[in-house]
């Protein structure tokens, strides 16, 4: 057993985030495990840029009110208790609502080789501020 005591939180890079977000690394698996778990706290209006994970990603909202969007889909509101599964290679972004904080767990796996994620353009206000729809389909399960 190893108990990892509280470590300093990291500010998310403005290269791949809009607004203020903070990341706490909870698990960084040692080979053969390649699991990754972080807690991400988004300030109101903050979101990450368009990106895709080599092995997919699971998000679990623990606090606040947020938004998520897949490429080609509508902006969807996410709430505490929601679990969002993003398949490998699917482009998406996630963040807080414009007027609320949002915290989620992010769980993913590093690939055996190559980058964990691919990053694209920032999510502009016009897109981010679209009226969100309710979750529908299998991408978001409540
Ligand atoms: Mn993601």
């Amino acid at each position: 057993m190893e108990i990892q005591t509280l470590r300093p939180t990291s500010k998310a890079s403005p290269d791949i985030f809009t607004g203020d977000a903070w990341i706490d690394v909870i698990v960084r698996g040692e080979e053969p495990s390649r699991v990754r778990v972080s807690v991400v706290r988004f300030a109101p209006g903050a979101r990450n840029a368009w990106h895709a994970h080599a092995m997919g990603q699971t998000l679990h909202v623990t606090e606040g009110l947020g938004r998520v969007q897949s490429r080609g889909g509508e902006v969807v509101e996410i709430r505490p208790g929601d679990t969002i599964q993003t398949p490998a290679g699917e482009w998406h972004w996630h963040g807080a609502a414009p007027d609320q904080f949002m915290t989620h767990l992010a769980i993913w796996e590093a690939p055996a080789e190559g980058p964990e994620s691919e990053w694209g353009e920032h999510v502009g206000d016009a897109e981010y501020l679209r009226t969100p729809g309710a979750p529908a389909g299998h991408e978001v399960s409540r």
Side-chain angles (χ1 to χ4, degrees), residues 48 51 53 57 59 92 94:
N48 50 28
H51 64 282
H53 305 283
Q57 183 180 55
L59 304 174
H92 66 282
H94 25 117

Side-chain angles (χ1 to χ4, degrees), residues 93-122:
W93 61 265
H94 25 117
D99 58 355
Q100 296 287 325
F101 286 81
M102 189 275 282
T103 300
H104 68 48
L105 279 165
I107 302 152
W108 72 102
E109 226 182 315
E113 290 178 12
E116 295 179 8
S117 308
E118 192 179 344
W119 291 89
E121 71 276 23
H122 282 77

Side-chain angles (χ1 to χ4, degrees), residues 73-142:
E74 63 175 339
V75 176
V76 174
E77 199 156 77
I78 52 174
R79 296 170 175 277
D82 289 349
T83 300
I84 301 99
Q85 306 278 1
T86 304
E90 181 174 291
W91 285 82
H92 66 282
W93 61 265
H94 25 117
D99 58 355
Q100 296 287 325
F101 286 81
M102 189 275 282
T103 300
H104 68 48
L105 279 165
I107 302 152
W108 72 102
E109 226 182 315
E113 290 178 12
E116 295 179 8
S117 308
E118 192 179 344
W119 291 89
E121 71 276 23
H122 282 77
V123 178
D125 284 346
E127 190 153 34
Y128 170 71
L129 293 171
R130 276 184 200 158
T131 306
H138 64 275
E139 292 86 358
V140 179
S141 55
R142 283 176 185 269

Side-chain angles (χ1 to χ4, degrees), residues 3-23:
I3 297 178
Q4 176 184 297
T5 54
L6 200 60
R7 296 187 293 187
T9 197
S10 306
K11 187 89 185 276
S13 169
D15 293 346
I16 52 173
F17 280 71
T18 298
D20 293 334
W22 297 85
I23 301 172

